[in-house]
Amino acid sequence: MISSSQGCILDGKLPFCLYELYSDYKKGTRTIIEWLVAHGSVHGANRSWIVTVRDLVQLADNVKMRSIEVPITVASTLRDTIEARAQLSHYFTRSSATQTDLPADSSHEFFTSSLKGIYEKLCKSRRKVSVGAVQSKQCEECKIVSSNRYGMLESCLQMTSVLEKTVEFEEEQQTTDSGPPPHVSMIEKGSPRIADDDLGEAIEILRCLQEMQDLCSAAKQSWENTANGSNPLVVAALITNVAFTIVHEIDSRLCSILGNADPEILFVRYTALLASLSALPQQSENVSPCLGCAFGEDLRRPWQILLNFKHDLQKDQGDIPNFQKPMDYIMSLTDNRLEAEQISWKMILQSMVRLIASARDRGPTDIMWLCSPFVDEIRGFLLADGATQGIKCAFGLRVLLEGFKGHLWSLGPAPNKINCRVEALRFTEDVIASIGSVLDDSTMPCRCPHTLASFLERYRSDLLAYTRERAFDLYTQAPWVSGSHMLEILDMNFYYGLRLCSYKNVVASVLHVYNVLVKFGNLQKVQLFEGLSEMFLDVIFLGERPSRNFASCLMRFMGGRIRFNNAHSRRTHSSQHSCTWDMEMPRAPNFQGKGLRKELSDERFKYEKFSLFHQIKGANYTLDDELWAQVFGAKRGKKASRKEKLEVRKKLDRATTADHPLHQVEQEILKDFEGDFPVAKINLFEVYLACANIVSRVSDDIHGAKGDHCLCFVETLLKAADQYQANRHMLKPFPQPHMLRVTEKAFQDVLEDRPLFEFLWRF
């Protein structure tokens, strides 16, 4: 039993114990409906899982007429369900209200009294029966000799069947649901439920409102951390995109309750439910004016702006300026804050309409169109006849403005002078320069279709088009919008950078040579290559950096297989070959007419393997159970067990506003941007150029010609390392001392005076 002191509702929010109680209440309701429909329905198997309270009363009458004895487990469940509902209603009732204050025809009172009537009707004889009395009764019943020896098992089997169905349903919801928690609705398709349960509907709506409010607060907090220098822009953008994706799932839940995702209908229906439950609390210091109504109002204001804007869309909007100063519109805590919010939303919507109108003239890979947040939702709302996409559009406008405020005014009375649009343009210019250096390198002479160079050329063209956009309006300068642009560009950099790491095996060869030079040469450890070796440990080194068989390890990465020599070969060439096996390389596959070439289709370099940040982006910001398990500490790259998933669900359900799961996501992905080797910030274009430069220097020195980029020295050096390692006990010198010195000098010349930060993206 929850004490009354726990019922204090602070800031319009309900404690988690209420949701645990509500979960038990819904499970008990499902069990009762299952049993009553199974034993009281006239239609047999053709029965509905959605019933009204009057249907339950009728089913109970049918059960009583048939003289079916209610199992003690069902009676206990029914009693617990009535008690749980009484405790739930306590949270939604005025502290000064009495039973005489409530209307006699209230659906809430009718529901509760109907459940009590069913209990009195079916379970009166079992009420308050002690365990000892039940055991004594069972012993007396055992003495009665039945004509059917197995008749006593009939009721047990029936109840077992009902409970098994309920348990199977709950386990299926826990294990197979891979949607984006943190919270899962209690109203599921196909589950037994009561159609006119106002209390359950009110709790579901309140839960959705609280979740959206917590998501908005978490996103705003992330932008405040960005303004304080704790987070990069792209991290806050990813957190906001994850929050917006979760709102899509909340919108679906609200549609299953209300039938229409409209903030106005949501607010009106919710306040009507509270009124019917007599749940409008008194004004006091500890109790908010309306449970969940504060954020409902926060959604109503942008929704009204959206409706008015759509109504006036055919009118002439006048010239929309290309430059708008954010400080003139985004107010912090001033007297005219509400008026400033309305003006800001109108300006933002005008910019979004202009972007939507220009979609026909943009290419399929245009960054401004594809990466701007919630443009599709606004476009769908404006083009549809009805009020669709309402919750998502209203939340998008609200979180965009709150993030703008958090980034602009979190430093105090003086505004933050960092312009996110300018930061995005600077970052894009750096990326264009790096891609240009790669394309100008002699290792990429070909621009044939479906080659890596052709895709990089197209990507550079998209970036150049992005920098030419004359867009400094309020929407484009918003931190969420500019941060999303940078996030998409950073993600594409990582994708194409990993493709370069697979291109012609240049990076893999250099890393294997570096491993030999550190072990047998005089080369000091380099922070860049140490980090790359750890990053690609499972891919390039196949799980462990080799200490012998260096050549075969590289050949296995390149696709080599063991080839055994036959007996005739051993007899004929026994004097020349002491081994009976060696490594052979397979033929190069024919990619003609098969789309992307090898470097673009190498599954080993799937960029989700190396960074949780990019893994969440690759999942379209949808965190399933596997990703949530990684966020809460599960080992990356391994499947989470069922136990870990259930533990994660418990943590997600028990999370509060202060320790919201998005804060944990933020802390985990920050690990990819911090430390000795920040994986998410590595400029793999510069890494590839450095490796190609090393190969070029060694190749030019050995062959006496420039620009060959021949990798033949790699096999020679690795086989020499194998021979040296095998004969080390004989104190023989390294077989290829000149090549060892040349390769060491190439590494030193290329990496001399180049610290790690020169290989990192700056944003």
Side-chain angles (χ1 to χ4, degrees):
M1 181 74 178
I2 301 175
S3 64
S4 59
S5 61
Q6 291 175 297
C8 184
I9 303 167
L10 300 176
D11 301 327
K13 294 192 176 183
L14 301 180
F16 175 72
C17 59
L18 173 70
Y19 293 123
E20 283 188 323
L21 188 64
Y22 177 61
S23 175
D24 295 338
Y25 162 71
K26 297 302 287 187
K27 291 176 184 177
T29 305
R30 284 199 294 263
T31 303
I32 294 166
I33 296 175
E34 283 262 11
W35 191 87
L36 286 176
V37 170
H39 296 82
S41 177
V42 218
H43 303 289
N46 299 323
R47 55 183 183 263
S48 173
W49 289 115
I50 302 177
V51 297
T52 64
V53 179
R54 298 184 186 278
D55 294 334
L56 286 182
V57 174
Q58 182 62 45
L59 291 170
D61 291 338
N62 295 341
V63 170
K64 186 175 182 181
M65 281 191 308
R66 297 174 185 177
S67 301
I68 301 176
E69 186 176 1
V70 182
I72 191 171
T73 50
V74 174
S76 174
T77 302
L78 182 55
R79 184 176 62 251
D80 294 341
T81 302
I82 295 173
E83 292 177 359
R85 183 175 178 86
Q87 295 182 55
L88 288 170
S89 62
H90 171 74
Y91 287 92
F92 284 88
T93 306
R94 293 191 189 97
S95 57
S96 61
T98 62
Q99 293 296 329
T100 58
D101 297 327
L102 299 174
D105 57 347
S106 170
S107 60
H108 165 59
E109 284 302 302
F110 176 69
F111 187 97
T112 307
S113 60
S114 299
L115 284 181
K116 291 180 179 178
I118 292 174
Y119 182 75
E120 292 287 336
K121 192 180 301 180
L122 299 180
C123 312
K124 187 175 182 180
S125 60
R126 293 191 178 276
R127 185 174 46 185
K128 297 181 181 179
V129 178
S130 64
V131 177
V134 171
Q135 291 177 350
S136 173
K137 183 178 178 181
Q138 289 176 347
C139 292
E140 291 178 0
E141 290 176 352
C142 290
K143 297 177 181 178
I144 301 175
V145 180
S146 172
S147 58
N148 181 5
R149 291 175 179 267
Y150 303 99
M152 299 174 61
L153 299 176
E154 183 178 0
S155 60
C156 296
L157 291 175
Q158 290 174 352
M159 189 57 211
T160 303
S161 174
V162 171
L163 292 177
E164 284 179 352
K165 289 180 181 178
T166 306
V167 171
E168 287 174 3
F169 173 80
E170 293 166 5
E171 290 183 349
E172 182 180 355
Q173 295 301 320
Q174 290 178 341
T175 58
T176 63
D177 181 15
S178 59
H183 301 296
V184 180
S185 172
M186 298 299 174
I187 298 180
E188 304 285 353
K189 292 182 179 179
S191 64
R193 61 186 178 93
I194 299 174
D196 46 4
D197 185 4
D198 287 351
L199 179 62
E201 187 175 336
I203 293 178
E204 287 285 347
I205 294 177
L206 175 58
R207 188 172 195 175
C208 292
L209 288 171
Q210 288 187 1
E211 287 178 30
M212 288 191 287
Q213 184 177 2
D214 291 344
L215 289 170
C216 187
S217 301
K220 184 178 181 180
Q221 179 63 46
S222 185
W223 288 113
E224 291 175 354
N225 295 339
T226 299
N228 296 330
S230 304
N231 289 353
L233 269 172
V234 291
V235 172
L238 182 133
I239 294 298
T240 311
N241 287 329
V242 171
F244 190 66
T245 304
I246 295 176
V247 169
H248 281 67
E249 186 263 344
I250 297 175
D251 178 63
S252 300
R253 286 157 50 187
L254 288 173
C255 283
S256 67
I257 301 171
L258 302 174
N260 189 4
D262 183 333
E264 185 67 27
I265 295 177
L266 171 66
F267 185 81
V268 171
R269 175 60 179 160
Y270 180 59
T271 52
L273 287 171
L274 293 183
S276 70
L277 297 171
S278 187
L280 296 176
Q282 292 179 332
Q283 299 288 340
S284 68
E285 295 180 357
N286 293 332
V287 182
S288 68
C290 180
L291 304 178
C293 293
F295 195 75
E297 283 287 354
D298 288 342
L299 291 180
R300 284 181 78 192
R301 286 196 290 270
W303 176 243
Q304 291 298 330
I305 298 295
L306 273 167
L307 291 176
N308 296 335
F309 184 83
K310 184 177 181 179
H311 182 266
D312 300 336
L313 191 59
Q314 303 301 327
K315 299 179 182 179
D316 186 14
Q317 301 288 335
D319 294 332
I320 304 174
N322 288 323
F323 179 81
Q324 295 167 334
K325 195 174 181 181
M327 279 78 76
D328 295 341
Y329 300 95
I330 310 298
M331 301 296 178
S332 56
L333 296 175
T334 57
D335 295 335
N336 59 341
R337 179 177 60 87
L338 297 180
E339 182 182 354
E341 283 184 352
Q342 295 178 359
I343 297 174
S344 301
W345 282 325
K346 290 178 181 177
M347 294 294 181
I348 289 170
L349 288 172
Q350 288 177 356
S351 302
M352 296 182 76
V353 168
R354 180 170 58 184
L355 178 61
I356 293 170
S358 65
R360 296 179 180 177
D361 303 327
R362 299 178 180 272
T365 56
D366 184 81
I367 295 175
M368 183 68 76
W369 168 250
L370 291 179
C371 309
S372 297
F374 79 100
V375 173
D376 287 336
E377 286 77 12
I378 294 292
R379 180 174 178 270
F381 166 73
L382 295 177
L383 296 180
D385 294 333
T388 60
Q389 311 278 357
I391 296 293
K392 291 178 280 189
C393 292
F395 181 85
L397 287 173
R398 170 56 63 186
V399 77
L400 185 142
L401 193 59
E402 292 300 321
F404 219 145
K405 292 178 185 178
H407 186 266
L408 194 60
W409 298 104
S410 64
L411 300 180
N416 185 2
K417 295 184 179 180
I418 296 178
N419 189 296
C420 297
R421 169 67 174 161
V422 174
E423 292 297 311
L425 291 174
R426 287 175 180 170
F427 174 60
T428 308
E429 292 288 350
D430 292 342
V431 176
I432 292 172
S434 294
I435 295 176
S437 301
V438 171
L439 291 174
D440 293 340
D441 193 76
S442 58
T443 56
M444 286 202 169
C446 180
R447 298 293 188 273
C448 296
H450 305 301
T451 60
L452 181 57
S454 68
F455 282 93
L456 285 174
E457 191 76 56
R458 188 184 306 170
Y459 177 43
R460 182 172 65 170
S461 300
D462 293 335
L463 294 175
L464 288 170
Y466 175 73
T467 58
R468 298 191 190 104
E469 293 274 358
R470 299 182 60 186
F472 277 88
D473 51 73
L474 207 58
Y475 174 71
T476 312
Q477 292 181 86
W480 184 18
V481 179
S482 296
S484 295
H485 296 166
M486 294 177 64
L487 170 59
E488 185 68 27
I489 293 172
L490 179 65
D491 189 64
M492 293 300 293
N493 294 345
F494 198 67
Y495 174 80
Y496 284 118
L498 289 175
R499 304 286 76 75
L500 281 172
C501 292
S502 174
Y503 182 66
K504 293 185 175 180
N505 298 313
V506 173
V507 174
S509 299
V510 170
L511 287 180
H512 275 270
V513 169
Y514 167 78
N515 183 47
V516 169
L517 295 180
V518 169
K519 288 183 179 298
F520 303 132
N522 298 319
L523 184 67
Q524 299 296 320
K525 290 185 177 181
V526 180
Q527 187 179 2
L528 173 66
F529 285 110
E530 287 294 322
L532 289 171
S533 298
E534 288 300 317
M535 176 180 172
F536 296 123
L537 188 66
D538 294 334
V539 178
I540 291 179
F541 292 108
L542 307 179
E544 185 181 4
R545 294 168 71 171
S547 57
R548 61 180 65 193
N549 299 325
F550 301 96
S552 62
C553 183
L554 176 60
M555 292 185 70
R556 284 175 59 201
F557 162 76
M558 295 166 60
R561 297 293 182 266
I562 296 177
R563 177 182 62 186
F564 291 94
N565 298 321
N566 55 36
H568 176 74
S569 171
R570 289 200 301 270
R571 286 195 302 268
T572 308
H573 306 284
S574 57
S575 59
Q576 301 177 7
H577 299 278
S578 58
C579 296
T580 60
W581 62 273
D582 59 5
M583 299 288 292
E584 67 172 353
M585 295 297 296
R587 291 185 178 182
N590 181 16
F591 289 94
Q592 184 176 2
K594 295 184 180 180
L596 302 180
R597 296 291 180 91
K598 175 182 179 297
E599 62 269 9
L600 287 178
S601 59
D602 196 340
E603 292 293 325
R604 297 173 299 176
F605 285 89
K606 292 182 74 171
Y607 66 129
E608 296 92 342
K609 294 180 178 179
F610 307 102
S611 166
L612 180 62
F613 173 83
H614 292 286
Q615 191 173 358
I616 294 175
K617 169 62 179 66
N620 293 323
Y621 311 109
T622 301
L623 275 71
D624 57 8
D625 290 340
E626 296 289 341
L627 283 175
W628 278 119
Q630 292 186 36
V631 166
F632 283 99
K635 190 172 181 180
R636 297 185 184 181
K638 286 193 175 182
K639 263 195 166 186
S641 64
R642 181 181 175 184
K643 182 179 179 181
E644 288 176 329
K645 292 179 182 179
L646 292 177
E647 288 295 326
V648 166
R649 286 298 180 93
K650 290 180 182 178
K651 291 180 181 178
L652 293 174
D653 285 334
R654 293 177 180 273
T656 61
T657 304
D659 61 341
H660 195 273
L662 286 187
H663 297 320
Q664 182 67 24
V665 175
E666 185 177 8
Q667 294 302 316
E668 283 298 315
I669 62 178
L670 273 176
K671 296 177 182 179
D672 292 340
F673 292 85
E674 299 171 346
D676 296 335
F677 191 77
V679 175
K681 295 181 68 175
I682 291 293
N683 184 349
L684 293 175
F685 298 131
E686 291 296 326
V687 169
Y688 172 79
L689 289 173
C691 293
N693 195 2
I694 291 172
V695 172
S696 177
R697 288 173 179 267
V698 178
S699 176
D700 293 347
D701 188 279
I702 293 176
H703 297 288
K706 293 190 177 294
D708 282 347
H709 292 90
C710 180
L711 289 172
C712 63
F713 76 94
V714 175
E715 184 180 5
T716 304
L717 190 64
L718 295 183
K719 287 187 175 180
D722 288 337
Q723 185 178 351
Y724 176 72
Q725 179 68 15
N727 298 327
R728 205 168 186 177
H729 63 283
M730 301 174 64
L731 302 179
K732 290 186 177 181
F734 197 84
Q736 297 285 345
H738 173 69
M739 185 171 292
L740 191 66
R741 288 193 299 270
V742 169
T743 309
E744 285 180 353
K745 187 175 185 304
F747 271 85
Q748 293 169 355
D749 293 344
V750 171
L751 301 176
E752 188 177 10
D753 300 328
R754 292 196 68 183
L756 180 64
F757 72 83
E758 291 191 12
F759 294 91
L760 302 179
W761 295 114
R762 289 178 286 276
F763 46 77

